[in-house]
Amino acid sequence: SLIVNLDGFDDACRLIRTNQLDDRVGLHLNLTEGAPLTRGIRTTLFCRDGRFAAPTLMSYYRLVSGATRRAVAEEVEAQIAKARALGMALTHLDSHNDMHTAPSIARVIADVAKARGIGRIRPARNCGPGQGMVRWLHHRRYNASLTRRGLTRVDYVGTIDDLLWLSDREHRRGPFVAEAMTH
């Protein structure tokens, strides 16, 4: 997946086009680092001094206003438009620091992605040890909402270690589809 608002975006697009991969790339939505593409989001809790704030500076579970949700929608649309302007089909959406799963904005992001023809959104991590009850419940609810909307096509998402843990579980004897999160 591709981050559109950081250095290297144009070079990455050239490499993608050169290798004819433009129909296999998704948007790595970024609401936590660098400068936003739109003005409206700069006055929300997502930004500090005109730049995106690190996710440790804001609460992942904080309620946000309608104006903030509209600003997030505008930023998501701008990031999608920037990638598509350089020929990227955008097969899926995920995000930097998993912000697409934040309860206060997840629906906004999913609505924009679906409206813009992005047919798949990466689910939240749902396998592996040590997730904690609150996070597990949130991820379960989030993933169920993606499934209801037809926006996911995998059974499990996790790190390589999570997927190795999953493959060792005796209760999973049938085939399944899993996505590994890597950088």
Side-chain angles (χ1 to χ4, degrees), residues 2 6-19 86 88:
L2 186 64
L6 295 178
D7 292 340
F9 170 67
D10 292 329
D11 290 335
C13 287
R14 269 192 295 282
L15 285 170
I16 291 165
R17 284 191 305 272
T18 297
N19 292 289
L86 288 181
M88 301 301 118

Side-chain angles (χ1 to χ4, degrees), residues 107-170:
R107 175 174 272 169
V108 170
I109 292 168
D111 287 347
V112 171
K114 191 164 189 161
R116 297 296 174 253
I118 297 175
R120 189 169 63 88
I121 297 176
R122 187 185 72 215
R125 178 179 170 227
N126 63 355
C127 61
Q131 293 188 56
M133 185 57 78
V134 171
R135 184 168 284 249
W136 180 83
L137 285 170
H138 164 61
H139 286 183
R140 185 178 168 111
R141 183 172 182 243
Y142 175 77
N143 292 347
S145 75
L146 289 181
T147 300
R148 278 191 307 275
R149 298 175 85 179
L151 290 171
T152 185
R153 295 187 188 106
V154 298
D155 301 310
Y156 294 99
V157 173
T159 66
I160 295 296
D161 290 335
D162 293 336
L163 298 180
L164 290 172
W165 173 89
L166 179 65
S167 70
D168 288 341
R169 304 281 72 82
E170 289 185 38

